[in-house]
Amino acid sequence: MKKLFFILCLSVLATTGCKEDFLTRDPLDALTDDTYWTNEKNVRTFAWAFYPAYFSGYGSGFTWGKYFSGQNLNDDFAPYSPAQFTRNVPASASGTSWTFAWVRKANLFLNRIQTVPMDDAAKAHWSGVARFFRALEYHDLVKDFGDVPWYDQVLEESDQANLYKPRDPRGFVMDQVLADLKYAAENVRVDDGEKGLVVNRSVVQAFMSRIMLYEGTYQKYHGLDQARSKTYLEAARWAADQVIASGRYSIMDPYRSLFNSLSLAGAKGIIMYRKYETGQLTHSLNSYNNKEPQSGPSKDAIESYLSKDGRPISVSPLYVGDKTIAQVMTDRDPRLKSTFVDALRISKYAPNASSSGYATHKFLNEETKELPEGSGSLNQTDGPVIRYGEVLLNYAEAVAELGQISQADLDKSINKLRSRPGVGMPALEILGGSPAVNGVAYDDPNRDQSVPPMIWEIRRERRVELMMEGFRLNDLIRWKKLEYSDTKANADINRGAWIKKADYPNTDAIIEGGATEGYIIPASKPESQRLFTDPKVYLSPLPLDQIKLYQEAGVELKQNPGWE
């Protein structure tokens, strides 16, 4: 090394004088923190790093996004081996979501923006983007762990007091998240590039409606702070209403086109999407969904779809039963046939067999299914990130949870979804506080009696509209209804299609009670059942190594209740 230093000094002596720090200078062809923050283009480039973390769409390569089987720990799926609730406290933070790396990145982004030579409007926009990303990350942290330390500045390694600060209360942290979202909703540009591909004001407001609905209902149903619950629900309603009032989106796209299109660029119902392109970025959803064995939907999920007359199947004269797939599909909400195929897939020799017999159709692009682009990890259908339909559902639920739901609210939200082209379901009405269709009130006899009838129907609409899109587990958590996913207590979530074995000689499906005909039981072994036995699983346990690190720093990091 010394010889190299000597040779380099000789070669530049005539022009540089060979100062001692020559080899420690920052390279002229690479950017550093001191030289990077010089223009808005660089600010935009830095922001791109957050996109894959929060806007995963259909994932990439063979990794999962947030769609289809990404969350089979719920009552929508009937897999052979149901995902289990967390059973043990992790020894290490590695592999868990207990990390503040993205918080630090957002704080660094926010700090550096202030030093860039831009006008005030540009600084406000990018500050809003940075605070939006910080809000997204803290929402995820709070969702997993409840109380977490709140950081709003970049920490130095020597700042031991803040590096090991105790956890801040959940309510305090979410108040800061709400403040970040409000700032972003007011300052992020209405447009900042190609619509649907970049963070703009509507994207912020749509995510704000999602986050505040989650936290508002969590606070309400988990018996936390009811005043905060109302504040958050009001924020969810406001944010969703802003997106609706913008007039930028509509429910005119065919339902399946939102999930199987090679391009979502012109989709009116998409607020943000992830663009896929052959040779650049592709995914594998089409293959997992239609060319390999899959976890099929549960009988419970199939029965959540209304009959075509807008009534639950338990009270509709149109319901003809479920002994054949033709019966299941007869006179039902058209979204049922848009989401699931109208043929059973239960042969053990079929590459696309379904655990429940019912198979998913929602994401299949028929144009590419036999092409290389429809195989392996080469799928290139664009992936929704957040769509207008969800915002309408967020609005309806927030208003209903606030006790303010009216017919006008239903008409501007849920009934937009029902009246879209290709669906044409009767409008949901409110009559004396109860759900009604065509002026006749009804009450689903299968309703959870702890849930008011109108909220039950709004939750049903959410389940149907967002089926297989990765929402159901989070919904059950925020409603404090994880017991729905107990396969022993709720037999219909471990049942599939009704079949006669004689009609399917090649199947190895297990029929209920060992009979020759009946409902398929995907998880047939007692040891494979998923039981909900302890509410501690509503929050994740803190990793043991983090508790130890805090102890060594002289600070107590309290474990979540039940995980001590």
Side-chain angles (χ1 to χ4, degrees):
M1 180 61 71
K2 288 182 179 178
K3 183 177 180 181
L4 176 61
F5 179 75
F6 177 71
I7 293 173
L8 286 171
C9 282
L10 288 177
S11 67
V12 296
L13 184 60
T15 56
T16 68
C18 194
K19 293 186 179 179
E20 186 67 21
D21 65 349
F22 176 80
L23 291 182
T24 62
R25 288 182 181 178
D26 293 326
L28 298 179
D29 62 346
L31 294 169
T32 67
D33 190 49
D34 291 333
T35 62
Y36 182 81
W37 304 99
T38 57
N39 57 69
E40 187 173 359
K41 180 180 178 181
N42 287 356
V43 173
R44 187 184 303 279
T45 300
F46 191 88
W48 290 128
F50 291 90
Y51 279 58
Y54 301 110
F55 312 137
S56 58
Y58 291 152
S60 60
F62 286 107
T63 64
W64 283 109
K66 297 186 182 299
Y67 289 77
F68 191 48
S69 291
Q71 288 188 351
N72 76 30
L73 201 166
N74 58 49
D75 53 351
D76 283 344
F77 289 92
Y80 294 119
S81 298
Q84 300 295 321
F85 295 110
T86 301
R87 294 171 175 171
N88 302 307
V89 178
S92 168
S94 178
T96 76
S97 57
W98 183 268
T99 173
F100 294 84
W102 286 100
V103 171
R104 174 180 171 80
K105 191 177 185 73
N107 283 333
L108 186 145
F109 189 28
L110 183 60
N111 176 274
R112 299 302 192 266
I113 287 166
Q114 315 314 315
T115 68
V116 179
M118 301 183 290
D119 60 37
D120 290 344
K123 286 186 177 181
H125 164 76
W126 289 110
S127 295
V129 171
R131 293 180 69 170
F132 170 61
F133 287 131
R134 183 169 67 186
L136 292 180
E137 182 62 17
Y138 263 111
H139 167 59
D140 287 344
L141 286 166
V142 168
K143 190 167 57 177
D144 285 347
F145 300 106
D147 299 348
V148 292
W150 168 260
Y151 296 111
D152 59 2
Q153 57 185 331
V154 180
L155 301 183
E156 301 296 332
E157 293 182 8
S158 59
D159 189 355
Q160 294 292 301
N162 280 312
L163 284 173
Y164 295 100
K165 66 178 292 190
R167 295 200 285 171
D168 289 302
R170 180 184 190 123
F172 170 81
V173 175
M174 290 309 299
D175 286 349
Q176 313 315 306
V177 169
L178 177 56
D180 276 351
L181 291 171
K182 283 182 175 178
Y183 181 90
E186 294 169 358
N187 290 281
V188 168
R189 293 166 181 152
V190 172
D191 285 303
D192 187 47
E194 189 172 350
K195 183 181 177 183
L197 292 177
V198 298
V199 173
N200 60 25
R201 188 168 298 180
S202 292
V203 170
V204 171
Q205 291 166 345
F207 272 96
M208 182 177 177
S209 75
R210 176 190 292 181
I211 291 170
M212 288 295 107
L213 177 65
Y214 183 98
E215 192 59 26
T217 50
Y218 191 99
Q219 294 273 345
K220 177 177 181 176
Y221 289 107
H222 288 259
L224 302 180
D225 189 320
Q226 298 307 302
R228 276 196 171 98
S229 170
K230 183 178 180 181
T231 297
Y232 300 151
L233 289 170
E234 288 282 8
R237 183 206 60 77
W238 176 85
D241 195 45
Q242 292 298 300
V243 178
I244 295 169
S246 73
R248 292 159 61 89
Y249 309 96
S250 71
I251 301 293
M252 297 305 293
D253 309 295
Y255 184 67
R256 281 189 67 227
S257 72
L258 299 171
F259 311 101
N260 69 353
S261 294
L262 295 176
S263 175
L264 288 173
K268 297 294 185 181
I270 296 294
I271 298 173
M272 190 179 197
Y273 67 98
R274 190 174 190 187
K275 184 176 178 61
Y276 291 88
E277 194 75 41
T278 299
Q280 298 182 25
L281 178 69
T282 55
H283 60 87
S284 52
L285 179 60
N286 191 55
S287 301
Y288 286 137
N289 196 172
N290 297 283
K291 296 193 172 186
E292 298 180 18
Q294 60 182 271
S295 291
S298 66
K299 177 176 179 285
D300 185 79
I302 296 293
E303 292 185 346
S304 65
Y305 287 79
L306 298 169
S307 289
K308 184 65 176 173
D309 60 6
R311 293 176 172 82
I313 61 174
S314 54
V315 297
S316 172
L318 297 182
Y319 183 61
V320 295
D322 63 356
K323 298 305 182 286
T324 66
I325 188 67
Q327 287 182 338
V328 170
M329 296 291 182
T330 297
D331 290 330
R332 301 289 292 279
D333 182 332
R335 285 172 292 186
L336 178 62
K337 189 174 286 189
S338 292
T339 304
F340 304 109
V341 296
D342 55 1
L344 298 182
R345 293 179 176 174
I346 51 183
S347 170
K348 65 180 179 181
Y349 302 111
N352 56 6
S354 164
S355 61
S356 67
Y358 298 119
T360 310
H361 184 52
K362 185 170 181 173
F363 307 102
L364 175 65
N365 182 285
E366 284 82 357
E367 295 178 24
T368 65
K369 67 178 182 178
E370 302 302 332
L371 300 176
E373 291 83 356
S375 301
S377 61
L378 301 178
N379 310 166
Q380 82 278 45
T381 49
D382 284 349
V385 169
I386 194 162
R387 60 188 184 90
Y388 189 50
E390 182 202 340
V391 172
L392 297 180
L393 292 164
N394 294 345
Y395 176 86
E397 187 178 347
V399 175
E401 291 289 359
L402 287 165
Q404 303 169 356
I405 195 75
S406 68
Q407 189 61 51
D409 292 318
L410 292 175
D411 290 343
K412 72 186 286 186
S413 56
I414 284 176
N415 290 333
K416 294 290 186 184
L417 299 171
R418 291 191 174 191
S419 64
R420 66 152 66 90
V423 175
M425 287 287 288
L428 177 62
E429 300 168 356
I430 184 167
L431 190 64
S434 297
V437 174
N438 294 322
V440 179
Y442 67 87
D443 187 6
D444 184 358
N446 294 321
R447 172 175 61 87
D448 178 342
Q449 294 300 303
S450 69
V451 181
M454 181 55 72
I455 288 181
W456 180 257
E457 292 307 317
I458 290 172
R459 291 181 182 183
R460 179 204 303 278
E461 192 74 21
R462 181 178 181 88
R463 186 182 190 183
V464 166
E465 175 72 20
L466 303 179
M467 182 66 70
M468 305 286 180
E469 295 181 41
F471 289 93
R472 188 63 176 173
L473 175 59
N474 286 334
D475 288 344
L476 297 184
I477 289 173
R478 64 190 178 89
W479 297 330
K480 204 176 182 182
K481 291 297 181 182
L482 279 178
E483 64 265 26
Y484 290 1
S485 62
D486 187 310
T487 60
K488 186 175 181 180
N490 303 288
D492 278 353
I493 70 171
N494 189 28
R495 288 186 177 127
W498 176 286
I499 65 167
K500 293 181 179 180
K501 272 207 164 183
D503 294 338
Y504 300 94
N506 292 325
T507 186
D508 56 354
I510 304 298
I511 303 300
E512 189 168 18
T516 57
E517 63 179 272
Y519 294 110
I520 296 173
I521 305 298
S524 58
K525 298 178 180 179
E527 61 270 22
S528 67
Q529 301 308 300
R530 177 175 58 231
L531 307 179
F532 175 74
T533 59
D534 196 327
K536 70 181 182 181
V537 297
Y538 280 108
L539 292 176
S540 298
L542 274 61
L544 294 176
D545 64 343
Q546 300 303 300
I547 294 175
K548 184 178 179 181
L549 282 172
Y550 268 70
Q551 287 176 339
E552 292 173 350
V555 180
E556 181 184 12
L557 182 63
K558 291 184 178 180
Q559 182 59 275
N560 274 327
W563 295 105
E564 296 90 345

